Amino acid sequence: MVSNDGILELRNFQVTPTHNWDHDISHRQQSFLDLQKINIALESKVQELLAELSAAKDQLCHDQALYQQTETELQKSLSLLQATLDSTADGIIAISCKGDILCANQKFFQMWQITDSSIISQKHNQFLSFYKDQLKNPEIFCRRIQKLDSQLDFEDYDILEFNDGRIFEPYCQPLRLGEQIIGTVWSFREITAHKQTEREIRFALEQEKLFNEHRAHFLSMVSHEFRTPLNIISLSTSLLKRHLHRWTEEKKLQYLQRLQTAVEQISQLTDEIFINGKAEVGKLKFEPKPLNPIQFCRDILAEMNLNESNATCSNFGKVRNAVAPQHTVTLVSQGDCTVCLDKKLLQPILRNLLSNAVKYSPSDSTIDLVASCQDGEVIFQIKDQGIGISIPDQQRLFKPFHRGANVAQIPGNGLGLALVKKLIDLHGGQITVVSEVGVGTKFTITLPLL
């Protein structure tokens, strides 16, 4: 210890004569060397660990960059997939086994008119209300969804009809990830235009079939209808040639009358076929001109060899049928007017109805023909006391070639009333019928005044 005055004092210090200083120094040197070796080893280990850490850091940076690249590529792939789904014409939705929406395209939401607020939801069962509101038969579709929920390994195909007239073809199948079923994929394809085309084709085929049937019936009818008067002409002509010098004038006139009647039948049938054909292809034109309906009726009766007689005033007339004198035709006019009608189309209308009234009425019966103008319309009525028309036959009365069940024994071709209806339609008018079997029939024609 050093005192204040600088004198070194040794207190209690004893020197052991046997202490080995060299040994201590060697031991310390050895410890130092050992410690130095340990430090070197530790430094080497630290350097090695730092190198490994640096390598690990570099690998982590590389892996992170690779992950970011993979994530970017995955996002691009997902975006491409979504863009692909959105660009398809079909509505597509994928649903997990738990009912979560895995993915869906815009076409699906547009198809079901699902709102933006509902799109945010990831639960498919929240869309059921949209299904129920859109479909004609929502219960059936909802039952199919419930069946798929309970039976995942199931494929389904059907037709969905919407309330607004759209038609979709849905198809569903299991969504698989490897061998595991993780949900269901639905696709919806609109086939409205396809179904419309299909209906149009089916209708066209039915029309073609009906046309072929009508054509076959028409050819058969024409053959039959022409054969009868032609046979009469052939027979009457043959008999006249054979007995011309031996028969009386009355007998000759009788057969000449048969010839004239047969020729008139052929002429009328030809006219009906010609006019009906033009009406079918839309080549008949409505060309109205001023016309007095009362005088027009008188002209028709004259053309049909119905000579007016016993007329008491301008509003009433009684005429006799020269061809069939057992029938009486009464012409009644109610009001006098001049209207614009198409004479060439109106003639076949009244001629057909009057001919039918005579044909299907008993001998010595009366046929009423009424012409009137009222409330901006011209009205013609033809009333007979004939065999009448049954209710079922009235439903098909104006169909081509249709003839009533109770007229089998009376000659006819079934074209007359069909032609009448077409000609009245060209006038923009209407025709109605009131009939009772065994009592008689009344046809009423209403045409607008121009």
Side-chain angles (χ1 to χ4, degrees):
M1 178 178 290
V2 180
S3 64
N4 292 331
D5 57 356
I7 298 175
L8 176 63
E9 294 181 357
L10 297 176
R11 293 179 179 177
N12 301 324
F13 182 79
Q14 297 178 356
V15 178
T16 304
T18 60
H19 186 77
N20 190 348
W21 289 98
D22 293 336
H23 176 76
D24 290 341
I25 292 172
S26 297
H27 179 73
R28 288 179 182 177
Q29 287 178 347
Q30 185 63 39
S31 297
F32 177 77
L33 291 174
D34 292 339
L35 182 60
Q36 193 174 25
K37 289 179 181 180
I38 291 173
N39 287 336
I40 294 172
L42 287 174
E43 287 180 3
S44 175
K45 190 65 176 178
V46 168
Q47 291 299 325
E48 183 181 345
L49 290 174
L50 288 174
E52 291 179 358
L53 183 60
S54 177
K57 181 182 178 182
D58 292 342
Q59 183 64 40
L60 181 60
C61 292
H62 175 75
D63 291 344
Q64 186 178 8
L66 184 62
Y67 171 79
Q68 290 177 346
Q69 181 182 357
T70 303
E71 185 179 21
T72 302
E73 292 177 356
L74 179 60
Q75 289 296 332
K76 288 182 179 179
S77 297
L78 290 175
S79 299
L80 179 61
L81 175 61
Q82 188 64 47
T84 302
L85 290 176
D86 289 338
S87 64
T88 60
D90 298 348
I92 299 174
I93 184 170
I95 307 164
S96 72
C97 297
K98 296 180 179 180
D100 297 328
I101 299 174
L102 301 177
C103 67
N105 64 353
Q106 287 298 318
K107 187 68 176 180
F108 171 82
F109 297 115
Q110 292 171 4
M111 183 191 76
W112 291 103
Q113 300 180 7
I114 297 175
T115 60
D116 293 338
S117 59
S118 299
I119 293 175
I120 299 174
S121 171
Q122 294 299 311
K123 291 295 183 182
H124 177 251
N125 57 10
Q126 295 188 14
F127 294 165
L128 292 178
S129 60
F130 289 94
Y131 301 153
K132 293 178 180 179
D133 292 340
Q134 301 286 329
L135 297 175
K136 287 186 178 180
N137 298 301
E139 296 80 8
I140 297 176
F141 184 62
C142 290
R143 283 199 298 268
R144 289 167 57 197
I145 294 178
Q146 293 172 0
K147 183 177 181 181
L148 287 170
D149 290 341
S150 61
Q151 185 179 350
L152 294 177
D153 193 7
F154 179 76
E155 294 188 13
D156 190 30
Y157 164 85
D158 203 351
I159 297 296
L160 291 180
E161 292 191 41
F162 282 57
N163 292 325
D164 58 8
R166 292 178 299 159
I167 302 175
F168 281 81
E169 179 183 76
Y171 176 71
C172 70
Q173 62 180 354
L175 177 61
R176 300 178 185 273
L177 187 60
E179 296 297 325
Q180 183 184 4
I181 296 176
I182 63 171
T184 306
V185 177
W186 285 83
S187 65
F188 300 85
R189 174 170 297 178
E190 185 170 3
I191 56 172
T192 309
H194 171 74
K195 285 294 181 182
Q196 178 64 28
T197 302
E198 190 177 276
R199 284 193 292 264
E200 291 175 357
I201 292 175
R202 189 182 300 113
F203 178 77
L205 291 175
E206 291 174 354
Q207 291 297 108
E208 183 179 1
K209 180 181 178 182
L210 185 62
F211 172 77
N212 289 333
E213 291 176 354
H214 282 175
R215 182 173 60 180
H217 190 178
F218 173 77
L219 294 175
S220 174
M221 179 274 299
V222 168
S223 176
H224 174 75
E225 291 299 319
F226 273 102
R227 185 182 294 113
T228 300
L230 287 174
N231 287 340
I232 293 174
I233 291 173
S234 178
L235 178 62
S236 299
T237 304
S238 177
L239 290 174
L240 280 171
K241 289 171 66 177
R242 186 182 306 174
H243 304 290
L244 181 63
H245 301 291
R246 291 185 294 140
W247 279 354
T248 63
E249 291 299 320
E250 184 178 357
K251 187 75 170 179
K252 294 176 185 178
L253 287 175
Q254 180 182 353
Y255 277 87
L256 287 173
Q257 183 62 52
R258 290 181 181 179
L259 286 171
Q260 182 180 353
T261 301
V263 171
E264 289 175 353
Q265 289 177 353
I266 292 175
S267 177
Q268 180 179 353
L269 180 59
T270 303
D271 289 342
E272 287 181 355
I273 293 172
F274 177 73
I275 296 175
N276 192 74
K278 292 186 69 175
E280 285 287 349
V281 297
K283 290 188 176 181
L284 276 180
K285 294 183 179 180
F286 177 54
E287 300 174 339
K289 295 180 180 179
L291 179 72
N292 185 298
I294 308 304
Q295 185 58 48
F296 176 76
C297 289
R298 290 195 174 109
D299 294 340
I300 288 291
L301 295 176
E303 290 174 9
M304 297 179 67
N305 294 323
L306 299 173
N307 299 316
E308 185 177 357
S309 62
N310 299 328
T312 57
C313 64
S314 60
N315 289 337
F316 179 83
K318 185 177 182 180
V319 297
R320 304 291 292 184
N321 185 340
V323 177
Q326 68 272 26
H327 290 89
T328 300
V329 179
T330 302
L331 172 63
V332 178
S333 63
Q334 297 175 351
D336 192 9
C337 62
T338 298
V339 296
C340 284
L341 298 173
D342 191 328
K343 183 177 180 179
K344 72 178 185 302
L345 301 183
L346 192 58
Q347 284 176 334
I349 295 174
L350 293 186
R351 189 183 294 118
N352 266 287
L353 294 177
L354 286 169
S355 296
N356 286 347
V358 171
K359 185 190 301 184
Y360 300 119
S361 297
S363 301
D364 298 324
S365 63
T366 300
I367 298 170
D368 296 327
L369 171 59
V370 180
S372 62
C373 298
Q374 55 186 7
D375 299 328
E377 296 175 329
V378 58
I379 300 172
F380 298 95
Q381 287 184 342
I382 296 93
K383 182 180 179 181
D384 64 49
Q385 301 172 14
I387 61 176
I389 307 168
S390 67
I391 298 297
D393 284 329
Q394 289 182 37
Q395 305 302 318
R396 303 182 59 197
L397 193 60
F398 301 106
K399 299 292 184 181
F401 310 113
H402 174 73
R403 302 199 71 211
N406 58 345
V407 299
Q409 305 302 320
I410 303 175
N413 52 56
L415 276 178
L417 289 179
L419 177 60
V420 166
K421 181 66 168 63
K422 288 185 178 72
L423 299 179
I424 291 175
D425 289 343
L426 285 174
H427 279 85
Q430 293 181 339
I431 181 170
T432 58
V433 58
V434 177
S435 185
E436 184 178 350
V437 175
V439 177
T441 302
K442 180 174 71 173
F443 285 95
T444 301
I445 303 163
T446 305
L447 305 175
L449 293 176
L450 299 179

